[in-house]
Amino acid sequence: MRIEQPAAAGTAAYEEDRALVAQVAAAVQAAGAHLAGRFATTAHLAGREEVVAGIHANDEASLAILRPELTRLRPDAGWVEDELEGGPLPGGEWWVTDPVEGNVNHVHGMADWGVTATLVRDNVPVLTAVHLPPSGETYTAVRSGGAFRDGAPLRPSPKRRLDGALVGTGQARPGESAETFARIGASVTAMLNTAMVVRVSVPATLQLLHVAAGRMDAFWQFSQVRSGLLAGALLVAEAGGVVTDTRGRPWTPDSADFLAAAPALHAAAVETLSTLD
């Protein structure tokens, strides 16, 4: 991630974060286990009202476990109430969580969902844990300490050309602006003419996990929604990938858009996406 590192390996802050991330992983696993009990592949929803009600009920069920535990672990850290908020945070430490990342998938009976928790310090993500109950996988990262899936190190794709790449994008939330939808459409068209395969899906975090693990080669999004980007951004960066905006500039929560890519493909992805305007 092309931003200043707040804590280097071996410092007291780093050692504290490394000890904390295991407890954060336990918290997202506990919330995920509860959500797994609410999950059914036979969901039949009649309309928007039922979808929204199911999403809210899931959020409340997860937060009832997640929030008390994270508050216990870091009682002085702030808490972001709205998971769809974007932009920079005030100084200090903040918990940025998505109690059900991919909630819309959960309520529709699809398996692409999980629970995320990221500790942000002065607008820099310093540790994160993501648990995917359908697969049982847990992903963790600490700033300057690497990225892992169930304890095994993650590495990005070694691909060097977009013509063999699997890339992806998706909307950050329902009801984006017409301009954002137009940019998404234009970016998909541009990548369809450049990459091998383009995947358009939600949620962002799960696609970013694929980039960190080398299963996908790039992901971009025209969004500032923190909860969908911070966890994956840290995992990709700590795995050895590159995280910037779509023009290759350093990415922060204040950036208007987002790009994560395998190192050797990043320049080509920027070249394709930076032409959209």
Side-chain angles (χ1 to χ4, degrees), residues 114-218:
V115 181
T116 79
T118 304
L119 185 65
V120 178
R121 184 174 299 136
D122 295 329
N123 278 295
V124 176
V126 295
L127 66 87
T128 193
V130 179
H131 180 56
L132 308 181
S135 67
E137 296 173 322
T138 301
Y139 294 76
T140 58
V142 174
R143 191 78 172 154
S144 304
F148 303 88
R149 178 181 64 242
D150 297 329
L154 298 175
R155 295 289 182 268
S157 165
K159 290 179 186 172
R160 307 188 68 84
R161 292 171 53 95
L162 275 177
D163 62 5
L166 169 59
V167 302
T169 189
Q171 68 191 86
R173 53 191 162 194
E176 297 276 12
S177 68
E179 178 185 5
T180 298
F181 287 144
R183 292 189 74 196
I184 293 171
S187 71
V188 169
T189 298
M191 279 294 188
L192 284 169
N193 286 309
T194 307
M196 186 175 188
V197 175
V198 179
R199 179 183 185 186
V200 181
S201 65
V202 294
T205 300
L206 269 67
Q207 293 196 69
L208 287 165
L209 295 180
H210 292 317
V211 176
R215 297 185 293 251
M216 285 178 61
D217 304 295

Side-chain angles (χ1 to χ4, degrees), residues 31-89:
H34 183 61
L35 288 165
R38 299 172 56 86
F39 180 67
T41 59
T42 56
H44 294 285
L45 303 172
R48 183 183 181 90
E49 292 77 12
E50 288 191 15
V51 173
V52 171
I55 286 172
H56 288 165
N58 278 346
D59 278 343
E60 291 174 4
S62 180
L63 285 171
I65 296 171
L66 196 60
R67 184 164 185 168
E69 183 60 16
L70 296 182
T71 300
R72 181 188 69 80
L73 293 174
R74 215 68 170 181
D76 294 330
W79 188 275
V80 176
E81 297 290 345
D82 184 356
E83 67 199 54
L84 295 180
E85 279 186 358
L89 290 161

